[in-house]
Amino acid sequence: MRDIFGSGRMYLFSVFRLVVIPFAVWFVFRSFIADPVILGCTIILGGLPSASMATLVSAKYGGNEWLASQGVMLTTLLSAFTIPVVMYPLLSVLA
């Protein structure tokens, strides 16, 4: 457990994945997507945690499986907090 929560690089990756990407998705797609429901779904999908498929692909192609597993676990745990906090201001703009 300490290896997962002790890596500063992994926290930086998680913040980028869970916080920065949803705002970037909103900024880029707000001028292309007129329907607020579709834009909201796109933003939510952008802010979801890393997929466990990353670990499987890493194992298959000789990558760092442990690092991929750390990313999946940490982003999944942090998403319980970041999804409501990040999505509320973004989705309230659409309402």
Side-chain angles (χ1 to χ4, degrees):
M1 271 314 226
R2 186 173 190 160
D3 292 337
I4 294 170
F5 296 109
S7 173
R9 262 181 43 193
M10 195 55 65
Y11 280 109
L12 184 63
F13 164 76
S14 297
V15 166
F16 184 78
R17 176 76 183 114
L18 299 172
V19 177
V20 174
I21 289 179
F23 281 100
V25 167
W26 173 77
F27 183 75
V28 169
F29 287 106
R30 69 185 171 153
S31 55
F32 297 113
I33 301 174
D35 186 2
V37 174
I38 294 174
L39 182 59
C41 290
T42 306
I43 293 169
I44 290 171
L45 287 173
L48 292 179
S50 301
S52 59
M53 192 68 170
T55 306
L56 298 173
V57 170
S58 179
K60 179 170 178 131
Y61 294 108
N64 190 344
E65 299 168 47
W66 177 246
L67 186 64
S69 298
Q70 281 180 317
V72 169
M73 182 169 179
L74 189 60
T75 57
T76 301
L77 291 174
L78 291 176
S79 70
F81 303 104
T82 60
I83 288 174
V85 169
V86 171
M87 296 304 157
Y88 181 74
L90 287 175
L91 297 179
S92 64
V93 169
L94 300 176

mmCIF file of all heavy atoms in Angstrom, residues 28-77:
data_model
loop_
_atom_site.group_PDB
_atom_site.id
_atom_site.type_symbol
_atom_site.label_atom_id
_atom_site.label_comp_id
_atom_site.label_asym_id
_atom_site.label_seq_id
_atom_site.Cartn_x
_atom_site.Cartn_y
_atom_site.Cartn_z
ATOM 1 N N VAL A 28 -12.510 22.323 -24.967
ATOM 2 C CA VAL A 28 -12.394 22.007 -26.389
ATOM 3 C C VAL A 28 -13.756 21.731 -27.022
ATOM 4 O O VAL A 28 -14.071 22.245 -28.087
ATOM 5 C CB VAL A 28 -11.447 20.804 -26.598
ATOM 6 C CG1 VAL A 28 -11.507 20.288 -28.029
ATOM 7 C CG2 VAL A 28 -10.027 21.182 -26.235
ATOM 8 N N PHE A 29 -14.586 20.934 -26.352
ATOM 9 C CA PHE A 29 -15.825 20.462 -26.980
ATOM 10 C C PHE A 29 -17.026 21.373 -26.782
ATOM 11 O O PHE A 29 -18.057 21.164 -27.405
ATOM 12 C CB PHE A 29 -16.156 19.056 -26.486
ATOM 13 C CG PHE A 29 -15.260 18.009 -27.058
ATOM 14 C CD1 PHE A 29 -14.279 17.415 -26.281
ATOM 15 C CD2 PHE A 29 -15.379 17.628 -28.384
ATOM 16 C CE1 PHE A 29 -13.441 16.460 -26.809
ATOM 17 C CE2 PHE A 29 -14.547 16.675 -28.923
ATOM 18 C CZ PHE A 29 -13.569 16.083 -28.129
ATOM 19 N N ARG A 30 -16.933 22.382 -25.942
ATOM 20 C CA ARG A 30 -18.105 23.241 -25.698
ATOM 21 C C ARG A 30 -18.536 23.992 -26.951
ATOM 22 O O ARG A 30 -19.700 24.329 -27.104
ATOM 23 C CB ARG A 30 -17.838 24.206 -24.558
ATOM 24 C CG ARG A 30 -16.824 25.252 -24.897
ATOM 25 C CD ARG A 30 -16.492 26.114 -23.724
ATOM 26 N NE ARG A 30 -15.348 26.939 -24.095
ATOM 27 C CZ ARG A 30 -15.102 28.103 -23.590
ATOM 28 N NH1 ARG A 30 -15.896 28.580 -22.652
ATOM 29 N NH2 ARG A 30 -14.056 28.787 -23.972
ATOM 30 N N SER A 31 -17.619 24.259 -27.854
ATOM 31 C CA SER A 31 -18.005 24.964 -29.077
ATOM 32 C C SER A 31 -18.450 24.023 -30.194
ATOM 33 O O SER A 31 -19.033 24.467 -31.170
ATOM 34 C CB SER A 31 -16.845 25.836 -29.566
ATOM 35 O OG SER A 31 -15.690 25.068 -29.719
ATOM 36 N N PHE A 32 -18.198 22.717 -30.034
ATOM 37 C CA PHE A 32 -18.585 21.744 -31.057
ATOM 38 C C PHE A 32 -19.880 21.007 -30.743
ATOM 39 O O PHE A 32 -20.580 20.586 -31.638
ATOM 40 C CB PHE A 32 -17.478 20.703 -31.263
ATOM 41 C CG PHE A 32 -16.199 21.283 -31.762
ATOM 42 C CD1 PHE A 32 -15.072 21.281 -30.964
ATOM 43 C CD2 PHE A 32 -16.115 21.835 -33.026
ATOM 44 C CE1 PHE A 32 -13.881 21.810 -31.418
ATOM 45 C CE2 PHE A 32 -14.925 22.378 -33.490
ATOM 46 C CZ PHE A 32 -13.812 22.362 -32.675
ATOM 47 N N ILE A 33 -20.161 20.812 -29.474
ATOM 48 C CA ILE A 33 -21.326 20.023 -29.066
ATOM 49 C C ILE A 33 -22.371 20.965 -28.481
ATOM 50 O O ILE A 33 -22.153 21.592 -27.440
ATOM 51 C CB ILE A 33 -20.927 18.940 -28.038
ATOM 52 C CG1 ILE A 33 -19.873 18.001 -28.638
ATOM 53 C CG2 ILE A 33 -22.157 18.159 -27.587
ATOM 54 C CD1 ILE A 33 -19.313 16.995 -27.659
ATOM 55 N N ALA A 34 -23.511 21.050 -29.144
ATOM 56 C CA ALA A 34 -24.572 21.965 -28.709
ATOM 57 C C ALA A 34 -25.478 21.349 -27.645
ATOM 58 O O ALA A 34 -25.999 22.051 -26.788
ATOM 59 C CB ALA A 34 -25.404 22.390 -29.910
ATOM 60 N N ASP A 35 -25.652 20.032 -27.684
ATOM 61 C CA ASP A 35 -26.539 19.358 -26.737
ATOM 62 C C ASP A 35 -25.848 19.237 -25.380
ATOM 63 O O ASP A 35 -24.798 18.613 -25.263
ATOM 64 C CB ASP A 35 -26.883 17.967 -27.280
ATOM 65 C CG ASP A 35 -27.918 17.253 -26.444
ATOM 66 O OD1 ASP A 35 -28.406 17.836 -25.449
ATOM 67 O OD2 ASP A 35 -28.248 16.099 -26.778
ATOM 68 N N PRO A 36 -26.427 19.827 -24.313
ATOM 69 C CA PRO A 36 -25.784 19.783 -23.001
ATOM 70 C C PRO A 36 -25.667 18.367 -22.428
ATOM 71 O O PRO A 36 -24.740 18.089 -21.673
ATOM 72 C CB PRO A 36 -26.645 20.674 -22.121
ATOM 73 C CG PRO A 36 -27.895 20.921 -22.864
ATOM 74 C CD PRO A 36 -27.645 20.636 -24.303
ATOM 75 N N VAL A 37 -26.580 17.483 -22.780
ATOM 76 C CA VAL A 37 -26.507 16.106 -22.269
ATOM 77 C C VAL A 37 -25.304 15.377 -22.863
ATOM 78 O O VAL A 37 -24.545 14.715 -22.153
ATOM 79 C CB VAL A 37 -27.818 15.338 -22.569
ATOM 80 C CG1 VAL A 37 -27.690 13.883 -22.185
ATOM 81 C CG2 VAL A 37 -28.986 15.982 -21.845
ATOM 82 N N ILE A 38 -25.114 15.530 -24.151
ATOM 83 C CA ILE A 38 -23.981 14.871 -24.805
ATOM 84 C C ILE A 38 -22.668 15.484 -24.314
ATOM 85 O O ILE A 38 -21.705 14.760 -24.044
ATOM 86 C CB ILE A 38 -24.101 14.964 -26.337
ATOM 87 C CG1 ILE A 38 -25.311 14.157 -26.798
ATOM 88 C CG2 ILE A 38 -22.837 14.453 -27.011
ATOM 89 C CD1 ILE A 38 -25.627 14.286 -28.258
ATOM 90 N N LEU A 39 -22.624 16.798 -24.164
ATOM 91 C CA LEU A 39 -21.415 17.439 -23.645
ATOM 92 C C LEU A 39 -21.140 17.001 -22.217
ATOM 93 O O LEU A 39 -19.992 16.718 -21.858
ATOM 94 C CB LEU A 39 -21.546 18.957 -23.728
ATOM 95 C CG LEU A 39 -20.338 19.761 -23.255
ATOM 96 C CD1 LEU A 39 -19.101 19.394 -24.061
ATOM 97 C CD2 LEU A 39 -20.617 21.247 -23.356
ATOM 98 N N GLY A 40 -22.181 16.896 -21.399
ATOM 99 C CA GLY A 40 -22.009 16.427 -20.024
ATOM 100 C C GLY A 40 -21.480 15.009 -19.966
ATOM 101 O O GLY A 40 -20.585 14.702 -19.169
ATOM 102 N N CYS A 41 -22.006 14.141 -20.809
ATOM 103 C CA CYS A 41 -21.512 12.754 -20.856
ATOM 104 C C CYS A 41 -20.059 12.707 -21.301
ATOM 105 O O CYS A 41 -19.259 11.927 -20.763
ATOM 106 C CB CYS A 41 -22.364 11.915 -21.798
ATOM 107 S SG CYS A 41 -24.009 11.582 -21.191
ATOM 108 N N THR A 42 -19.692 13.546 -22.244
ATOM 109 C CA THR A 42 -18.314 13.598 -22.727
ATOM 110 C C THR A 42 -17.375 14.061 -21.617
ATOM 111 O O THR A 42 -16.290 13.512 -21.427
ATOM 112 C CB THR A 42 -18.210 14.539 -23.946
ATOM 113 O OG1 THR A 42 -19.165 14.131 -24.919
ATOM 114 C CG2 THR A 42 -16.834 14.523 -24.539
ATOM 115 N N ILE A 43 -17.796 15.057 -20.865
ATOM 116 C CA ILE A 43 -16.983 15.562 -19.754
ATOM 117 C C ILE A 43 -16.826 14.487 -18.683
ATOM 118 O O ILE A 43 -15.729 14.265 -18.158
ATOM 119 C CB ILE A 43 -17.605 16.837 -19.160
ATOM 120 C CG1 ILE A 43 -17.544 17.972 -20.173
ATOM 121 C CG2 ILE A 43 -16.909 17.235 -17.874
ATOM 122 C CD1 ILE A 43 -18.366 19.177 -19.791
ATOM 123 N N ILE A 44 -17.906 13.814 -18.342
ATOM 124 C CA ILE A 44 -17.847 12.764 -17.319
ATOM 125 C C ILE A 44 -16.923 11.634 -17.762
ATOM 126 O O ILE A 44 -16.106 11.143 -16.984
ATOM 127 C CB ILE A 44 -19.256 12.237 -16.990
ATOM 128 C CG1 ILE A 44 -20.035 13.308 -16.232
ATOM 129 C CG2 ILE A 44 -19.187 10.958 -16.167
ATOM 130 C CD1 ILE A 44 -21.487 13.004 -16.042
ATOM 131 N N LEU A 45 -17.031 11.223 -19.014
ATOM 132 C CA LEU A 45 -16.141 10.177 -19.516
ATOM 133 C C LEU A 45 -14.679 10.606 -19.474
ATOM 134 O O LEU A 45 -13.791 9.789 -19.248
ATOM 135 C CB LEU A 45 -16.537 9.778 -20.934
ATOM 136 C CG LEU A 45 -17.804 8.953 -21.048
ATOM 137 C CD1 LEU A 45 -18.180 8.772 -22.517
ATOM 138 C CD2 LEU A 45 -17.629 7.605 -20.391
ATOM 139 N N GLY A 46 -14.420 11.877 -19.690
ATOM 140 C CA GLY A 46 -13.053 12.374 -19.615
ATOM 141 C C GLY A 46 -12.487 12.363 -18.213
ATOM 142 O O GLY A 46 -11.274 12.313 -18.031
ATOM 143 N N GLY A 47 -13.353 12.401 -17.202
ATOM 144 C CA GLY A 47 -12.890 12.455 -15.816
ATOM 145 C C GLY A 47 -12.934 11.146 -15.071
ATOM 146 O O GLY A 47 -12.715 11.118 -13.859
ATOM 147 N N LEU A 48 -13.201 10.068 -15.766
ATOM 148 C CA LEU A 48 -13.237 8.760 -15.099
ATOM 149 C C LEU A 48 -11.824 8.224 -14.903
ATOM 150 O O LEU A 48 -10.889 8.618 -15.602
ATOM 151 C CB LEU A 48 -14.072 7.786 -15.924
ATOM 152 C CG LEU A 48 -15.562 8.095 -15.982
ATOM 153 C CD1 LEU A 48 -16.282 7.064 -16.845
ATOM 154 C CD2 LEU A 48 -16.171 8.144 -14.601
ATOM 155 N N PRO A 49 -11.651 7.302 -13.958
ATOM 156 C CA PRO A 49 -10.305 6.776 -13.685
ATOM 157 C C PRO A 49 -9.758 5.957 -14.841
ATOM 158 O O PRO A 49 -10.483 5.580 -15.764
ATOM 159 C CB PRO A 49 -10.505 5.903 -12.444
ATOM 160 C CG PRO A 49 -11.940 5.625 -12.365
ATOM 161 C CD PRO A 49 -12.653 6.737 -13.063
ATOM 162 N N SER A 50 -8.464 5.695 -14.752
ATOM 163 C CA SER A 50 -7.791 4.893 -15.779
ATOM 164 C C SER A 50 -8.403 3.507 -15.858
ATOM 165 O O SER A 50 -8.813 2.936 -14.854
ATOM 166 C CB SER A 50 -6.318 4.749 -15.448
ATOM 167 O OG SER A 50 -5.722 5.995 -15.366
ATOM 168 N N ALA A 51 -8.441 2.972 -17.048
ATOM 169 C CA ALA A 51 -9.043 1.652 -17.255
ATOM 170 C C ALA A 51 -8.072 0.550 -16.856
ATOM 171 O O ALA A 51 -6.855 0.688 -16.993
ATOM 172 C CB ALA A 51 -9.434 1.501 -18.719
ATOM 173 N N SER A 52 -8.617 -0.541 -16.365
ATOM 174 C CA SER A 52 -7.777 -1.680 -15.981
ATOM 175 C C SER A 52 -7.151 -2.347 -17.198
ATOM 176 O O SER A 52 -6.222 -3.135 -17.074
ATOM 177 C CB SER A 52 -8.603 -2.694 -15.191
ATOM 178 O OG SER A 52 -9.694 -3.143 -15.971
ATOM 179 N N MET A 53 -7.622 -1.994 -18.373
ATOM 180 C CA MET A 53 -7.041 -2.527 -19.600
ATOM 181 C C MET A 53 -5.574 -2.127 -19.732
ATOM 182 O O MET A 53 -4.791 -2.837 -20.363
ATOM 183 C CB MET A 53 -7.846 -2.017 -20.796
ATOM 184 C CG MET A 53 -7.523 -2.697 -22.060
ATOM 185 S SD MET A 53 -8.081 -4.395 -21.942
ATOM 186 C CE MET A 53 -7.883 -4.890 -23.600
ATOM 187 N N ALA A 54 -5.188 -1.011 -19.124
ATOM 188 C CA ALA A 54 -3.792 -0.572 -19.170
ATOM 189 C C ALA A 54 -2.866 -1.615 -18.560
ATOM 190 O O ALA A 54 -1.771 -1.871 -19.075
ATOM 191 C CB ALA A 54 -3.636 0.755 -18.445
ATOM 192 N N THR A 55 -3.296 -2.243 -17.487
ATOM 193 C CA THR A 55 -2.486 -3.283 -16.852
ATOM 194 C C THR A 55 -2.371 -4.498 -17.760
ATOM 195 O O THR A 55 -1.289 -5.086 -17.884
ATOM 196 C CB THR A 55 -3.109 -3.685 -15.503
ATOM 197 O OG1 THR A 55 -3.275 -2.506 -14.712
ATOM 198 C CG2 THR A 55 -2.241 -4.662 -14.769
ATOM 199 N N LEU A 56 -3.448 -4.884 -18.391
ATOM 200 C CA LEU A 56 -3.419 -6.046 -19.282
ATOM 201 C C LEU A 56 -2.537 -5.806 -20.502
ATOM 202 O O LEU A 56 -1.760 -6.677 -20.902
ATOM 203 C CB LEU A 56 -4.838 -6.403 -19.719
ATOM 204 C CG LEU A 56 -5.800 -6.799 -18.603
ATOM 205 C CD1 LEU A 56 -7.205 -6.963 -19.154
ATOM 206 C CD2 LEU A 56 -5.338 -8.065 -17.932
ATOM 207 N N VAL A 57 -2.636 -4.640 -21.074
ATOM 208 C CA VAL A 57 -1.806 -4.313 -22.233
ATOM 209 C C VAL A 57 -0.338 -4.236 -21.823
ATOM 210 O O VAL A 57 0.547 -4.708 -22.539
ATOM 211 C CB VAL A 57 -2.280 -2.989 -22.885
ATOM 212 C CG1 VAL A 57 -1.309 -2.501 -23.933
ATOM 213 C CG2 VAL A 57 -3.659 -3.166 -23.473
ATOM 214 N N SER A 58 -0.092 -3.681 -20.658
ATOM 215 C CA SER A 58 1.274 -3.601 -20.148
ATOM 216 C C SER A 58 1.872 -4.985 -19.944
ATOM 217 O O SER A 58 3.034 -5.231 -20.266
ATOM 218 C CB SER A 58 1.280 -2.820 -18.835
ATOM 219 O OG SER A 58 2.564 -2.755 -18.308
ATOM 220 N N ALA A 59 1.083 -5.900 -19.421
ATOM 221 C CA ALA A 59 1.564 -7.272 -19.213
ATOM 222 C C ALA A 59 1.826 -7.973 -20.539
ATOM 223 O O ALA A 59 2.827 -8.676 -20.696
ATOM 224 C CB ALA A 59 0.548 -8.057 -18.398
ATOM 225 N N LYS A 60 0.960 -7.761 -21.483
ATOM 226 C CA LYS A 60 1.103 -8.440 -22.773
ATOM 227 C C LYS A 60 2.335 -7.970 -23.545
ATOM 228 O O LYS A 60 3.025 -8.761 -24.181
ATOM 229 C CB LYS A 60 -0.145 -8.229 -23.624
ATOM 230 C CG LYS A 60 -0.035 -8.899 -24.972
ATOM 231 C CD LYS A 60 -1.336 -8.895 -25.710
ATOM 232 C CE LYS A 60 -1.111 -9.531 -27.065
ATOM 233 N NZ LYS A 60 -2.040 -10.520 -27.410
ATOM 234 N N TYR A 61 2.620 -6.674 -23.486
ATOM 235 C CA TYR A 61 3.699 -6.128 -24.290
ATOM 236 C C TYR A 61 4.970 -5.830 -23.496
ATOM 237 O O TYR A 61 5.829 -5.074 -23.952
ATOM 238 C CB TYR A 61 3.220 -4.879 -25.021
ATOM 239 C CG TYR A 61 2.157 -5.215 -26.040
ATOM 240 C CD1 TYR A 61 0.833 -4.872 -25.819
ATOM 241 C CD2 TYR A 61 2.479 -5.914 -27.193
ATOM 242 C CE1 TYR A 61 -0.147 -5.195 -26.739
ATOM 243 C CE2 TYR A 61 1.505 -6.245 -28.123
ATOM 244 C CZ TYR A 61 0.205 -5.879 -27.883
ATOM 245 O OH TYR A 61 -0.768 -6.219 -28.795
ATOM 246 N N GLY A 62 5.090 -6.411 -22.320
ATOM 247 C CA GLY A 62 6.327 -6.311 -21.550
ATOM 248 C C GLY A 62 6.560 -4.968 -20.882
ATOM 249 O O GLY A 62 7.697 -4.588 -20.642
ATOM 250 N N GLY A 63 5.493 -4.265 -20.564
ATOM 251 C CA GLY A 63 5.612 -2.976 -19.881
ATOM 252 C C GLY A 63 5.699 -3.159 -18.375
ATOM 253 O O GLY A 63 5.832 -4.275 -17.859
ATOM 254 N N ASN A 64 5.638 -2.075 -17.675
ATOM 255 C CA ASN A 64 5.721 -2.087 -16.219
ATOM 256 C C ASN A 64 4.313 -2.318 -15.645
ATOM 257 O O ASN A 64 3.538 -1.379 -15.455
ATOM 258 C CB ASN A 64 6.297 -0.761 -15.729
ATOM 259 C CG ASN A 64 6.632 -0.779 -14.263
ATOM 260 O OD1 ASN A 64 6.189 -1.640 -13.518
ATOM 261 N ND2 ASN A 64 7.429 0.192 -13.845
ATOM 262 N N GLU A 65 4.010 -3.570 -15.369
ATOM 263 C CA GLU A 65 2.676 -3.939 -14.877
ATOM 264 C C GLU A 65 2.379 -3.322 -13.519
ATOM 265 O O GLU A 65 1.250 -2.915 -13.253
ATOM 266 C CB GLU A 65 2.554 -5.458 -14.760
ATOM 267 C CG GLU A 65 2.734 -6.197 -16.044
ATOM 268 C CD GLU A 65 2.886 -7.683 -15.822
ATOM 269 O OE1 GLU A 65 2.082 -8.254 -15.064
ATOM 270 O OE2 GLU A 65 3.816 -8.263 -16.401
ATOM 271 N N TRP A 66 3.381 -3.253 -12.668
ATOM 272 C CA TRP A 66 3.185 -2.710 -11.323
ATOM 273 C C TRP A 66 2.807 -1.233 -11.399
ATOM 274 O O TRP A 66 1.911 -0.772 -10.702
ATOM 275 C CB TRP A 66 4.438 -2.928 -10.485
ATOM 276 C CG TRP A 66 4.348 -2.331 -9.122
ATOM 277 C CD1 TRP A 66 5.079 -1.299 -8.642
ATOM 278 C CD2 TRP A 66 3.453 -2.696 -8.058
ATOM 279 N NE1 TRP A 66 4.697 -1.003 -7.357
ATOM 280 C CE2 TRP A 66 3.704 -1.856 -6.975
ATOM 281 C CE3 TRP A 66 2.464 -3.671 -7.939
ATOM 282 C CZ2 TRP A 66 3.017 -1.936 -5.784
ATOM 283 C CZ3 TRP A 66 1.771 -3.739 -6.740
ATOM 284 C CH2 TRP A 66 2.040 -2.899 -5.686
ATOM 285 N N LEU A 67 3.484 -0.497 -12.242
ATOM 286 C CA LEU A 67 3.179 0.918 -12.394
ATOM 287 C C LEU A 67 1.777 1.125 -12.963
ATOM 288 O O LEU A 67 1.026 1.994 -12.506
ATOM 289 C CB LEU A 67 4.217 1.588 -13.295
ATOM 290 C CG LEU A 67 4.119 3.091 -13.446
ATOM 291 C CD1 LEU A 67 4.361 3.778 -12.105
ATOM 292 C CD2 LEU A 67 5.117 3.570 -14.477
ATOM 293 N N ALA A 68 1.401 0.317 -13.938
ATOM 294 C CA ALA A 68 0.050 0.409 -14.504
ATOM 295 C C ALA A 68 -1.003 0.075 -13.451
ATOM 296 O O ALA A 68 -2.044 0.739 -13.362
ATOM 297 C CB ALA A 68 -0.076 -0.520 -15.704
ATOM 298 N N SER A 69 -0.732 -0.930 -12.640
ATOM 299 C CA SER A 69 -1.666 -1.302 -11.565
ATOM 300 C C SER A 69 -1.786 -0.195 -10.530
ATOM 301 O O SER A 69 -2.881 0.074 -10.014
ATOM 302 C CB SER A 69 -1.209 -2.585 -10.880
ATOM 303 O OG SER A 69 -1.194 -3.641 -11.783
ATOM 304 N N GLN A 70 -0.672 0.449 -10.215
ATOM 305 C CA GLN A 70 -0.710 1.573 -9.275
ATOM 306 C C GLN A 70 -1.603 2.692 -9.814
ATOM 307 O O GLN A 70 -2.400 3.270 -9.070
ATOM 308 C CB GLN A 70 0.691 2.142 -9.060
ATOM 309 C CG GLN A 70 1.555 1.359 -8.134
ATOM 310 C CD GLN A 70 2.908 2.019 -7.996
ATOM 311 O OE1 GLN A 70 3.501 2.462 -8.977
ATOM 312 N NE2 GLN A 70 3.397 2.086 -6.781
ATOM 313 N N GLY A 71 -1.427 2.995 -11.086
ATOM 314 C CA GLY A 71 -2.228 4.057 -11.687
ATOM 315 C C GLY A 71 -3.709 3.752 -11.664
ATOM 316 O O GLY A 71 -4.530 4.612 -11.343
ATOM 317 N N VAL A 72 -4.057 2.530 -11.976
ATOM 318 C CA VAL A 72 -5.468 2.138 -11.986
ATOM 319 C C VAL A 72 -6.049 2.210 -10.577
ATOM 320 O O VAL A 72 -7.139 2.768 -10.369
ATOM 321 C CB VAL A 72 -5.634 0.726 -12.583
ATOM 322 C CG1 VAL A 72 -7.042 0.205 -12.365
ATOM 323 C CG2 VAL A 72 -5.292 0.722 -14.059
ATOM 324 N N MET A 73 -5.318 1.700 -9.597
ATOM 325 C CA MET A 73 -5.843 1.687 -8.224
ATOM 326 C C MET A 73 -5.956 3.102 -7.657
ATOM 327 O O MET A 73 -6.979 3.462 -7.064
ATOM 328 C CB MET A 73 -4.965 0.844 -7.319
ATOM 329 C CG MET A 73 -5.487 0.763 -5.921
ATOM 330 S SD MET A 73 -4.630 -0.470 -4.990
ATOM 331 C CE MET A 73 -5.420 -0.297 -3.431
ATOM 332 N N LEU A 74 -4.916 3.904 -7.846
ATOM 333 C CA LEU A 74 -4.939 5.252 -7.280
ATOM 334 C C LEU A 74 -6.006 6.124 -7.938
ATOM 335 O O LEU A 74 -6.745 6.826 -7.242
ATOM 336 C CB LEU A 74 -3.561 5.902 -7.414
ATOM 337 C CG LEU A 74 -3.390 7.225 -6.684
ATOM 338 C CD1 LEU A 74 -3.618 7.067 -5.189
ATOM 339 C CD2 LEU A 74 -2.013 7.791 -6.943
ATOM 340 N N THR A 75 -6.124 6.072 -9.250
ATOM 341 C CA THR A 75 -7.148 6.894 -9.896
ATOM 342 C C THR A 75 -8.553 6.428 -9.547
ATOM 343 O O THR A 75 -9.463 7.242 -9.441
ATOM 344 C CB THR A 75 -6.979 6.922 -11.432
ATOM 345 O OG1 THR A 75 -7.005 5.592 -11.940
ATOM 346 C CG2 THR A 75 -5.702 7.629 -11.838
ATOM 347 N N THR A 76 -8.718 5.135 -9.340
ATOM 348 C CA THR A 76 -10.037 4.633 -8.942
ATOM 349 C C THR A 76 -10.405 5.120 -7.546
ATOM 350 O O THR A 76 -11.534 5.557 -7.308
ATOM 351 C CB THR A 76 -10.067 3.097 -9.007
ATOM 352 O OG1 THR A 76 -9.769 2.684 -10.340
ATOM 353 C CG2 THR A 76 -11.419 2.557 -8.598
ATOM 354 N N LEU A 77 -9.462 5.066 -6.617
ATOM 355 C CA LEU A 77 -9.735 5.535 -5.250
ATOM 356 C C LEU A 77 -9.964 7.044 -5.212
ATOM 357 O O LEU A 77 -10.902 7.522 -4.565
ATOM 358 C CB LEU A 77 -8.583 5.157 -4.324
ATOM 359 C CG LEU A 77 -8.414 3.674 -4.032
ATOM 360 C CD1 LEU A 77 -7.148 3.431 -3.233
ATOM 361 C CD2 LEU A 77 -9.619 3.135 -3.287
#
